[in-house]
Amino acid sequence: MSELFDAVDALVASRSPLPSAEERKRLRVAHGLTLDDVAGALKVRRATVSAWESTKKPTEPRGPEREAYARLLKQLAELYPALVPATFTGVPDPAEAETLSTGPAPEAAVMTATENTQTPVAAAPAAATRPASTTRTTSTSRRPGARKAAPAGTPAGGTDPRFENGPLAVLDVDDDGKVLAYCTGGLVLDVPAKSLPSLVDWTLKEAKLGAPKLSGPGKDADPLLVLTEAALERYGLPATLTEEERLAGRIPEGHKVIKQLTRAEWKLTKRGFGPWARIYRPATGSERACVQLCIPSWNALDTRHWGEAGQLPPAELARVLGVYASRVMTPRGSTAVTGLELMTALHPPTRASEPDADGKRHSEHNPGSLGKDPVDCAPCEAPDGHPLLKDLPRFHVRGPAEKLFEEAYDWARPMTDAECTLRHLVGIDVNMAFAAGANGLPVGLGEATHVKAPAFDPKLPGSWLVDLSHVDLSKVKVGKEWVELDGSLLPSPFTPKGDRPEGPAWYATPTVAYAQELGYEVRPLEAWVRRENGRYLDGWYNRLRDAYLATMADLGVDADMEPADFLAAMDGYKGRDPELAIVVSAVKATVKGGLGKLRERPRGEGWRPGEPWRALSRPTWRPDIRAAVISRTRINLHRKIVKHAAFTGQYPIAILSDCVVYAANGESPLDFLPYREGKPLPGGFKLGINPGLVKHEGTQSVLWGEEVRERFNAPELNLARYIKDGTVTDVDNGE
């Protein structure tokens, strides 16, 4: 009897209903699958699957392949319901517009808007109102390990009808030679453009790509097109750059595609046609005509920050960049460039004035911004080679009394005998440490004023020449009480290497204020202060913090978790959704890179010491702001270390930037952090995902640490550099 049932089942399966050939292809493309992917799963030839999808004369699968193929298409149809035509071009027919605009929001999009309430993101609610996104859901919903059907990591464009298809698209060429634009939210558009100039025209006139401005006086984000190698070939561009082009950062001016753009009256920025090219026409009135290109195969997506994003299929790459764009901003270049551009986008340099007597508005300075003109740094804030220092002797090396040197920690010490009896070295790392250092920090907005023998004001941003060599860490104030510590086991808070100052030196305001906080008098000899100041970085911090927390929540790590639950959630979080883990990495790189850009150094171009370089012409070239953030970050860390030492008697063995290593008898941070009834030491280290709180960086044995130091004959080798996985590599610079 069972054989008869099997025969009946096979007979039914051989007639399993299948959608049209066009719909089969739409479902496969929406899910980011290639013909090879489907052929491999069904154990048939690639040509067989292609024939099943042929719109001219499709063939029909038979036998067990038909049943499996029908099952695949049924599941894909549930993920990507066909609520708009399969060849949707971004401009719905008038007859369909009303249906699309009033249709129900997909369940996944509603979940996005309602579940991610802990860290709201501006673009998240839009997922529930954007009709175009209902055509397809992104690949997240098909991932078995995903926490939500379509997490907030699946942005679907905004409510602004000008940008209803999202901020960007990844262009690729399908097996039939058609150019497809993979947008956020799983949407796929047909691209009719045959040349790069016509592609730019299509993007601006039909694609409905872009993003609204982040600030009232700001500008809307230009649409971003990401070109795969196949798309590069289609539009006459090389798949990779030659070594000469890579070093130049662009293709030659005489390239045929650049000539096409010139004939069509399109222009390129000064950086030319490189990995992040901007193609534009001069603005007329308030209308902008600009499209940005991102070319991963030209190394636009640095693997140090974007991981393997450049190798992802188009739909997956659109998702990664789309999440980043919705939570941070549309990428404008490297993560460092984007970090700097985010500052300007949140605080545009100018705004429209009130109407004058004739009713006309004019451009005026936007209060709270850095303005539209660069300002000179103070001589002590100038990096070596700056034009302000051109009169110094050629080989002169500036000391602490001539140069502001606020950098992150790179400090270590030999272990004590008592520490050597313990079993483990445990590293803890401060989350988004430099972002936390920027939060609430007053920074200068205008020019610096030089003053002699000033009274120190901890609320006044500036650079101060002061002698802090008298500050003794063996007796300091913690809160309102004096405590005695073993100062030989602590780094100085005033120098990156942890050495005690030997005389007057230049410091940023947070460093000098901390000397006062420790209970010591400070008497500056001179200072460069900025009386026009404000909390310029607060909005920047808030946006990056929200982006980080929202993405970590999508990865299963929520704020306010219990310590043990937090450590468990952090264990292997990247594997839950590798694409969102890329976004986390990019967000963190945006923080560090953006701050680093505030003091960008010369980048070749025939520069010589004493001559100006390109970055100096930016209002956002502000080494004083960078120094203040680093100073505050280092001081925040030292304050926690002192609090921990005063309460527990435990001292750090090594510190590298935002990572601190302690000796302990257990492998977990909970084995040495003084939690009582689940509550941390007030003012000390606290486990959690919020910026400024700490996570587990790594654990190695004390024997490992001693063996490494003995092998390199370096009793003060910085073990924090290698604590994560124990692999000892060439010494890096800690950047």
Side-chain angles (χ1 to χ4, degrees):
M1 184 65 70
S2 62
E3 293 180 358
L4 292 176
F5 286 168
D6 291 341
V8 170
D9 291 342
L11 189 62
V12 172
S14 69
R15 296 294 184 268
S16 295
L18 296 174
S20 67
E22 187 177 18
E23 178 67 359
R24 299 172 197 175
K25 180 176 180 180
R26 183 191 75 81
L27 292 171
R28 174 179 62 79
V29 170
H31 204 53
L33 298 176
T34 66
L35 292 172
D36 290 324
D37 292 335
V38 177
L42 301 180
K43 294 181 172 53
V44 297
R45 294 185 304 116
R46 180 181 184 276
T48 302
V49 180
S50 180
W52 294 344
E53 295 181 356
S54 174
T55 55
K56 295 181 180 179
K57 191 176 180 181
T59 61
E60 294 296 309
R62 297 180 179 180
E65 289 84 6
R66 184 184 182 94
E67 181 181 10
Y69 190 43
R71 181 183 180 87
L72 169 67
L73 295 175
K74 181 180 178 182
Q75 293 185 35
L76 292 179
E78 292 174 356
L79 295 176
Y80 310 106
L83 299 185
V84 298
T87 55
F88 182 63
T89 61
V91 185
D93 292 335
E96 297 171 335
E98 183 176 351
T99 303
L100 288 174
S101 62
T102 58
E107 180 182 355
V110 175
M111 291 178 66
T112 296
T114 58
E115 291 187 9
N116 188 36
T117 55
Q118 182 137 15
T119 53
V121 179
T129 59
R130 174 176 175 255
S133 68
T134 60
T135 58
R136 299 167 174 81
T137 312
T138 169
S139 54
T140 13
S141 56
R142 66 180 165 87
R143 199 173 268 108
R147 218 163 40 85
K148 305 173 185 175
T154 317
T159 55
D160 192 322
R162 297 172 301 159
F163 313 126
E164 66 179 30
N165 293 332
L168 55 89
V170 180
L171 268 60
D172 195 26
V173 181
D174 71 1
D175 298 307
D176 293 334
K178 292 183 179 179
V179 180
L180 301 177
Y182 294 80
C183 306
T184 57
L187 179 68
V188 183
L189 307 177
D190 281 335
V191 181
K194 304 297 183 183
S195 68
L196 196 62
S198 62
L199 175 63
V200 175
D201 279 323
W202 172 82
T203 303
L204 293 172
K205 295 176 182 177
E206 299 181 45
K208 294 190 176 183
L209 296 173
K213 56 191 176 184
L214 297 180
S215 175
K219 300 175 182 177
D220 295 328
D222 298 319
L224 173 65
L225 298 181
V226 185
L227 304 183
T228 64
E229 292 189 32
L232 290 172
E233 182 180 355
R234 167 58 61 89
Y235 291 113
L237 292 164
T240 58
L241 298 179
T242 65
E243 183 64 16
E244 182 180 356
E245 291 168 344
R246 187 187 65 79
L247 293 174
R250 63 181 74 189
I251 58 177
E253 296 293 327
H255 193 280
K256 62 179 182 180
V257 171
I258 296 181
K259 291 180 179 179
Q260 291 174 2
L261 292 169
T262 303
R263 285 195 297 269
E265 299 183 344
W266 290 106
K267 296 180 179 293
L268 294 167
T269 58
K270 290 182 180 179
R271 63 184 175 188
F273 203 123
W276 290 93
R278 298 186 70 77
I279 303 172
Y280 73 99
R281 285 189 181 126
T284 55
S286 60
E287 293 297 321
R288 287 170 59 82
C290 183
V291 172
Q292 176 153 316
L293 304 183
C294 167
I295 306 178
S297 64
W298 293 7
N299 299 317
L301 301 175
D302 191 327
T303 55
R304 293 173 298 175
H305 310 138
W306 289 102
E308 299 303 316
Q311 308 300 318
L312 291 174
E316 310 297 326
L317 180 55
R319 180 199 177 211
V320 169
L321 294 177
V323 173
Y324 181 90
S326 68
R327 293 179 173 173
V328 180
M329 69 180 296
T330 305
R332 295 287 302 273
S334 67
T335 50
V337 169
T338 304
L340 198 68
E341 291 287 341
L342 180 61
M343 297 179 195
T344 303
L346 294 169
H347 287 288
T350 59
R351 67 178 184 182
S353 68
E354 292 297 321
D356 60 16
D358 298 326
K360 295 182 178 180
R361 296 179 184 269
H362 306 276
S363 176
E364 67 178 14
H365 175 74
N366 184 28
S369 76
L370 299 181
K372 60 184 180 64
D373 300 314
V375 298
D376 285 336
C377 62
C380 62
E381 298 163 351
D384 294 338
H386 191 279
L388 287 175
L389 310 175
K390 63 182 178 181
D391 294 330
L392 287 178
R394 183 175 179 185
F395 296 107
H396 178 73
V397 178
R398 293 186 294 161
E402 300 172 277
K403 179 181 180 181
L404 177 70
F405 192 67
E406 294 283 10
E407 299 294 341
Y409 266 130
D410 185 356
W411 169 88
R413 63 169 175 82
M415 283 186 269
T416 65
D417 291 343
E419 288 165 341
C420 287
T421 64
L422 302 176
R423 299 179 60 189
H424 300 286
L425 298 175
V426 184
I428 53 176
D429 181 80
V430 182
N431 295 312
M432 300 270 283
F434 294 99
N439 183 31
L441 176 67
V443 299
L445 300 178
E447 296 183 352
T449 302
H450 186 239
V451 289
K452 288 282 190 179
F456 176 67
D457 182 353
K459 297 181 180 179
L460 185 60
S463 300
W464 310 79
L465 180 63
V466 57
D467 188 350
L468 300 180
S469 60
H470 62 292
V471 177
D472 184 3
L473 294 181
S474 27
K475 187 177 182 182
V476 297
K477 265 190 175 180
V478 177
K480 296 183 179 180
E481 298 181 359
W482 285 93
V483 298
E484 293 187 359
L485 304 170
D486 188 341
S488 66
L489 301 180
L490 287 170
S492 167
F494 310 127
T495 62
K497 291 292 184 181
D499 301 324
R500 185 168 179 169
E502 296 179 352
W506 285 99
Y507 303 102
T509 298
T511 302
V512 185
Y514 186 58
Q516 275 190 334
E517 181 184 325
L518 292 176
Y520 290 86
E521 184 181 17
V522 295
R523 293 182 179 179
L525 303 174
E526 59 178 297
W528 289 87
V529 297
R530 289 173 168 81
R531 305 198 186 281
E532 181 189 356
N533 57 74
R535 292 165 58 159
Y536 174 74
L537 295 173
D538 274 12
W540 184 80
Y541 161 78
N542 289 333
R543 188 157 181 88
L544 289 166
R545 174 204 61 197
D546 290 350
Y548 176 68
L549 292 180
T551 312
M552 290 302 295
D554 288 337
L555 287 165
V557 186
D558 296 302
D560 301 322
M561 295 179 100
E562 291 299 314
D565 295 337
F566 167 70
L567 291 174
M570 285 296 294
D571 187 20
Y573 76 92
K574 294 181 179 180
R576 293 177 201 135
D577 191 328
E579 291 167 16
L580 287 185
I582 292 174
V583 177
V584 171
S585 172
V587 170
K588 293 194 289 187
T590 303
V591 173
K592 288 188 175 182
L595 294 172
K597 277 279 185 182
L598 291 169
R599 197 193 67 168
E600 183 177 351
R601 303 302 302 276
R603 303 172 68 88
E605 301 176 346
W607 174 81
R608 294 181 179 180
E611 296 177 350
W613 57 91
R614 184 183 301 179
L616 299 186
S617 63
R618 294 195 320 249
T620 49
W621 192 85
R622 293 295 301 272
D624 56 300
I625 296 179
R626 173 186 178 273
V629 173
I630 293 176
S631 164
R632 192 163 188 246
T633 303
R634 194 182 65 245
I635 294 308
N636 285 348
L637 183 59
H638 195 275
R639 185 182 291 114
K640 290 180 171 62
I641 289 170
V642 166
K643 189 80 173 181
H644 185 86
F647 188 79
T648 67
Q650 298 169 338
Y651 295 84
I653 288 168
I655 310 172
L656 182 68
S657 188
D658 45 15
C659 175
V660 189
V661 175
Y662 284 90
N665 264 327
E667 299 183 12
S668 166
L670 289 174
D671 291 315
F672 71 93
L673 293 182
Y675 273 81
R676 290 186 175 179
E677 298 179 355
K679 295 183 179 180
L681 172 68
F685 294 109
K686 178 182 178 181
L687 289 165
I689 198 58
N690 281 293
L693 305 188
V694 299
K695 61 180 180 292
H696 184 205
E697 178 70 3
T699 296
Q700 304 297 329
S701 69
V702 168
L703 290 177
W704 165 85
E706 289 294 271
E707 187 275 328
V708 167
R709 286 178 162 179
E710 183 177 344
R711 189 197 324 162
F712 289 94
N713 192 26
E716 296 182 5
L717 183 71
N718 195 333
L719 299 176
R721 182 172 278 113
Y722 317 110
I723 195 71
K724 188 167 189 174
D725 60 9
T727 303
V728 181
T729 58
D730 293 336
V731 175
D732 59 38
N733 59 11
E735 288 291 330

